[in-house]
Amino acid sequence: MTNIIKRVGKKINCPNCSHALKYSWLSRINKDWVSLYSKAGDAVLVSKELTRAAASEGELSKGVSIYEVKHGIDAVHQFSVRNEMKCPNCNYPLTSRSGEKFEDIVGGRVVFLEGMTFINDENEYRVEIDAR
């Protein structure tokens, strides 16, 4: 992967291991997309195409499977609505998607970490964050 997405963000420490984390986010202003984390929590998928399948959690799960095949996304990612973003040092869940309502997950803001893989409908990127 040679594409890089550079973002401005902030720093926090992992609440479990105190590892320094650089993070950024996408605002939801005038945007219509679905964001999903990989099973390992080290990649994020942001898709406008998947909004058509976001009527229910079951429909979205089916839509993700079709989307991954259509776009040739590596099966190792295993994107899902309930997957959490995780600390790259200790695998501690940094989000609370497993316990949230489906509507809150779909309508929520996507957050990503330095070094994550960022995938959208057109391309794949490695995330670099200038934390201030």
Side-chain angles (χ1 to χ4, degrees):
M1 171 176 33
T2 58
N3 299 312
I4 296 172
I5 184 169
K6 294 184 179 191
R7 303 280 304 175
V8 173
K10 296 184 178 184
K11 290 182 194 178
I12 60 169
N13 291 330
C14 171
N16 187 56
C17 72
S18 298
H19 179 74
L21 302 167
K22 293 181 184 179
Y23 71 99
S24 189
W25 57 92
L26 296 177
S27 71
R28 301 276 307 163
I29 298 172
N30 298 320
K31 298 292 179 184
D32 190 21
W33 61 60
V34 171
S35 64
L36 306 165
Y37 293 107
S38 65
K39 185 174 183 171
D42 62 349
V44 63
L45 170 64
V46 177
S47 172
K48 185 172 181 115
E49 286 180 37
L50 282 173
T51 58
R52 289 178 245 138
S56 72
E57 193 165 340
E59 284 184 48
L60 184 55
S61 293
K62 289 178 198 171
V64 169
S65 296
I66 294 166
Y67 180 95
E68 288 175 327
V69 170
K70 177 182 172 186
H71 287 273
I73 295 175
D74 192 346
V76 72
H77 290 306
Q78 298 178 22
F79 289 105
S80 177
V81 173
R82 300 286 170 184
N83 288 344
E84 309 285 6
M85 180 177 63
K86 297 177 183 172
C87 173
N89 188 58
C90 71
N91 289 326
Y92 183 80
L94 299 169
T95 56
S96 58
R97 287 180 168 217
S98 60
E100 290 182 26
K101 290 191 275 183
F102 174 73
E103 296 79 17
D104 293 338
I105 294 170
V106 173
R109 178 169 62 173
V110 61
V111 177
F112 42 93
L113 300 174
E114 168 94 2
M116 283 184 99
T117 300
F118 178 91
I119 301 170
N120 65 21
D121 294 335
E122 291 87 36
N123 224 325
E124 187 173 314
Y125 305 87
R126 183 174 49 82
V127 177
E128 288 184 3
I129 298 174
D130 179 14
R132 310 215 176 213

